[in-house]
């Protein structure tokens, strides 16, 4: 099945694609050398936006929850990547404990959990599910929309280890982003691998730290290709101590929005882009498309209505928003079946294992698509999408487009690796 895709691969993006394809051996060697120095996150998903004049990541998730949206054709890649990741961490691993999100009523999320169980089972592990939900006090069967079932079990904690009754895992895989904080049961584990690490969760992690690391990666990569880093990097500012509920801190927000819009205008002028720039204001931590708004003029910040202030003041698990990232808005000019779309790239270890288009018929090119009403169209092309066609015209080949998405996705994953090293509470510090 090939999605009917309308794309904006014209102008500078075509030049960027051409440059990436011509530089493929240098790009792959560069990634290899980077991975010799840095450890990739265990798994990652990256939201990418294609504006036609730039291609940039806008969000990087270290607890991806959409593996059910990958095509069956991509599963062998995911299994191979899972094998590579496990071999690197714990070659003798036999048992894997998977800890999902607490909200077990979302059938689509549960299908994602089932897909992860499938991937790691085929990769050669005994996989069982342990729940952080205190209401789960005995093995509980959950029915899935496709007729399959999952069994959630209560966690059993000893002094140094975490497992289930009669199940002692070498590795614990979190598919819970820890928005509500770090549960005590996950702390001070000394004899097991906990992946991703606790400081990857939203209780600790900040988007601004990630995009700070991404800026460094984008500069290095752009130097390799001899191009302007802006073509792959969304600019951003940060505002501390904002309280949307009380309407305080909006002066800082207004100033930062105005400054960033000015920087974007100058870039648009440099590249001859005749569009009105916008920024995305979002909580500096958290996910699920909560606490996000599009701003086209700094004056809008001062005139927020009560509904918008309420929407911006709280994110997942009721966490209060007091720090926001103001990110350059990257419009998406890709469409699937007439609806606005953005690609999401999925990776395990350092390998791209697939992806999908997030599609939203009721949202505009300058809005967040991760919202109720979104649908997902797998990145399923008529031919293998992971192998680019060298020599094809820029923009003419789906695999070439997917290769570009994969490069940008891997750049964001590398930035997450930098970010995790910089924020690791157990890292050795040298003077």
């Amino acid at each position: 099945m090939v999605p009917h895709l309308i794309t904006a691969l014209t102008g500078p993006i075509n030049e960027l694609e051409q440059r990436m394809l011509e530089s493929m051996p240098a790009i792959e060697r560069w990634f290899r050398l980077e991975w010799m120095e840095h450890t990739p996150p265990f798994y990652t998903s990256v939201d990418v936006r294609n504006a036609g004049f730039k291609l940039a990541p806008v969000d990087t998730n270290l607890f991806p929850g959409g593996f059910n949206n990958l095509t069956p054709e991509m599963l062998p890649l995911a299994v191979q990547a899972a094998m590579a990741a496990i071999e690197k961490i714990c070659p003798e691993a036999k048992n894997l404990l998977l800890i999902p999100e607490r909200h077990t009523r979302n059938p689509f999320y549960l299908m994602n959990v089932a897909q992860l169980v499938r991937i790691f089972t085929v990769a050669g592990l005994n996989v069982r599910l342990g729940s952080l939900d205190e209401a789960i006090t005995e093995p509980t069967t959950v029915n899935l929309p496709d007729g399959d079932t999952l069994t959630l079990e209560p966690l059993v904690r000893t002094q140094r280890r975490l497992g289930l009754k009669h199940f002692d895992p070498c590795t614990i895989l979190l598919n819970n982003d820890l928005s509500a904080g770090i549960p005590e049961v996950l702390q001070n584990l000394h004899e097991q691998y906990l992946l991703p690490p606790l400081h990857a969760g939203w209780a600790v992690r900040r988007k601004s730290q990630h995009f700070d690391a991404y800026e460094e990666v984008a500069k290095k990569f752009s130097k390799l290709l001899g191009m302007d880093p802006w073509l792959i990097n969304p600019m951003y500012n940060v505002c501390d101590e904002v309280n949307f509920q009380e309407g305080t801190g909006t002066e800082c927000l207004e100033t930062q929005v105005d400054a960033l819009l000015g920087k974007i205008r100058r870039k648009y002028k440099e590249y001859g882009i005749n569009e009105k720039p916008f920024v995305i204001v979002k909580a500096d931590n958290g996910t699920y498309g909560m606490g996000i708004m599009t701003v086209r003029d700094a004056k809008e910040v001062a005139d927020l209505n009560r509904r918008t202030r309420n929407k911006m003041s709280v994110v997942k698990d009721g966490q209060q928003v007091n720090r926001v990232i103001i990110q350059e808005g990257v419009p998406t000019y890709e469409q699937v079946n007439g609806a606005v779309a953005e690609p999401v790239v999925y990776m395990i270890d350092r390998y791209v294992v697939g992806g999908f288009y997030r599609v939203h018929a009721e949202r505009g090119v300058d809005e967040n698509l991760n919202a109720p009403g979104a649908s997902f169209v797998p990145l399923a092309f008529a031919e293998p999408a992971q192998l680019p066609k060298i020599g094809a015209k820029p923009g003419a080949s789906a695999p070439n487009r997917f290769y570009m998405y994969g490069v940008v996705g891997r750049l964001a994953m590398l930035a997450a690796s930098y970010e995790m090293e910089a924020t690791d509470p157990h890292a050795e510090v040298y003077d």
Side-chain angles (χ1 to χ4, degrees):
M1 183 193 90
V2 182
H4 177 61
L5 182 71
I6 300 170
T7 187
L9 286 174
T10 55
I13 277 285
N14 272 345
E15 292 165 31
L16 179 57
E17 182 178 329
Q18 188 74 50
R19 196 168 292 183
M20 281 192 185
L21 293 171
E22 286 169 357
S23 308
M24 197 188 306
I27 290 171
E28 296 307 322
R29 177 178 181 271
W30 182 82
F31 272 121
R32 272 200 309 276
L33 294 175
E34 286 288 332
W35 293 129
M36 286 172 73
E37 300 289 325
H38 305 281
T39 303
F42 189 81
Y43 52 8
T44 320
S45 70
V46 178
D47 297 355
V48 179
R49 304 276 286 208
N50 176 5
F53 52 82
K54 79 183 285 179
L55 183 76
V58 293
D59 219 354
T60 301
N61 189 355
L62 299 182
F63 300 86
F67 279 93
N68 53 308
N69 295 317
L70 304 187
T71 63
E73 291 81 7
M74 292 293 186
L75 279 186
L77 286 178
V79 170
Q80 283 183 318
M83 284 176 172
I86 292 291
E87 275 169 30
K88 196 190 299 178
I89 295 150
C90 184
E92 71 279 9
K94 187 171 67 170
N95 296 335
L96 177 77
L97 175 62
L98 176 55
I99 300 181
E101 290 281 358
R102 276 190 171 95
H103 61 79
T104 52
R105 291 198 187 93
N106 182 335
F108 300 108
Y109 174 72
L110 289 169
M111 296 284 279
N112 154 74
V113 174
Q115 188 77 298
L116 283 170
V117 170
R118 203 169 293 126
I119 288 167
F120 288 100
T121 300
V122 178
L125 294 162
N126 300 316
V127 186
R128 283 166 66 177
L129 302 175
S131 178
L132 287 166
D133 189 343
E134 291 83 8
I136 304 283
T137 56
E138 58 185 359
T140 304
T141 301
V142 182
N143 296 316
L144 301 181
D146 62 357
D148 212 344
T149 60
L150 289 174
T151 302
L152 295 166
E153 300 181 61
L155 294 167
V156 175
R157 175 67 199 251
T158 59
Q159 191 176 352
R160 299 175 75 83
R161 295 181 76 85
L162 179 66
L164 307 173
K165 190 177 179 182
H166 308 311
F167 186 77
D168 186 29
C170 153
T171 305
I172 299 161
L173 179 60
L174 289 176
N175 197 242
N176 180 313
D177 63 21
L178 307 178
S179 291
I182 299 171
E184 201 175 329
V185 75
L186 297 179
Q187 295 175 31
N188 303 313
L189 293 172
H190 300 291
E191 299 174 348
Q192 291 167 303
Y193 295 96
L194 182 66
L195 303 164
L198 293 177
H199 67 284
W202 287 122
V204 178
R205 192 176 174 226
R206 296 294 175 265
K207 292 178 184 181
S208 51
Q209 290 171 331
H210 173 75
F211 282 101
D212 190 44
Y214 183 79
E215 194 170 351
E216 187 185 341
V217 168
K219 281 177 182 169
K220 281 188 188 179
F221 181 78
S222 299
K223 191 176 178 185
L224 175 77
L225 265 64
M227 67 182 209
D228 181 355
W230 179 75
L231 294 171
I232 55 169
N233 183 29
M235 299 183 288
Y236 75 94
N237 287 335
V238 174
C239 243
D240 263 331
E241 295 171 28
V242 180
N243 189 319
F244 288 99
Q245 207 80 55
E246 293 173 11
T248 57
T250 50
E251 302 84 1
C252 161
L253 192 52
E254 221 173 317
T255 305
Q256 296 286 18
V257 165
D258 201 42
L260 189 54
L261 284 169
K263 281 165 92 174
I264 302 168
R265 274 187 212 102
R266 288 192 285 280
K267 274 293 179 187
Y268 278 18
K269 193 174 179 186
E270 182 187 332
Y271 282 92
I273 296 160
N274 296 316
E275 297 199 16
K276 187 170 183 182
F278 65 98
V279 297
I280 300 292
V281 178
K282 52 187 173 183
D284 202 19
N285 64 326
T287 180
Y288 281 81
M290 298 175 78
I292 297 180
M293 65 179 176
T294 302
V295 180
R296 298 167 192 82
D297 190 308
K299 292 191 192 76
E300 294 172 27
V301 174
D303 302 330
L304 293 179
N305 60 34
R306 182 179 292 277
R307 188 172 169 221
T308 305
R309 287 208 307 270
N310 287 343
K311 186 187 83 166
M312 291 298 297
S313 62
V314 177
V315 288
K316 189 182 163 206
D317 290 329
Q319 299 300 301
Q320 293 293 317
V321 175
N322 50 32
R323 179 183 164 99
V324 294
I325 179 170
I326 302 114
Q327 192 177 61
E328 173 189 352
V330 182
T332 177
Y333 288 118
E334 308 234 74
Q335 291 184 3
V336 173
N337 302 326
V340 175
E342 66 184 5
V344 185
V345 179
Y346 270 63
M347 290 154 287
I348 295 177
D349 197 61
R350 60 194 177 99
Y351 305 102
V352 175
V353 298
F356 52 82
Y357 285 103
R358 181 184 286 120
V359 184
H360 206 304
E362 292 162 27
R363 291 282 169 120
V365 298
D366 58 354
E367 292 182 287
N368 165 47
L369 304 187
N370 188 7
S375 59
F376 306 95
V377 177
L379 277 165
F381 298 108
E383 51 201 314
Q386 59 274 24
L387 294 177
K389 280 186 174 178
I390 299 165
K393 283 183 183 175
S397 161
N400 286 355
R401 189 183 310 141
F402 189 56
Y403 179 71
M404 282 182 71
Y405 294 162
V407 168
V408 170
R410 286 184 288 163
L411 290 173
M413 172 172 59
L414 180 59
S417 174
Y418 282 30
E419 173 200 357
M420 289 298 100
E421 287 165 17
T423 57
D424 185 351
H426 306 298
E428 293 181 33
V429 179
Y430 300 97
D431 291 328

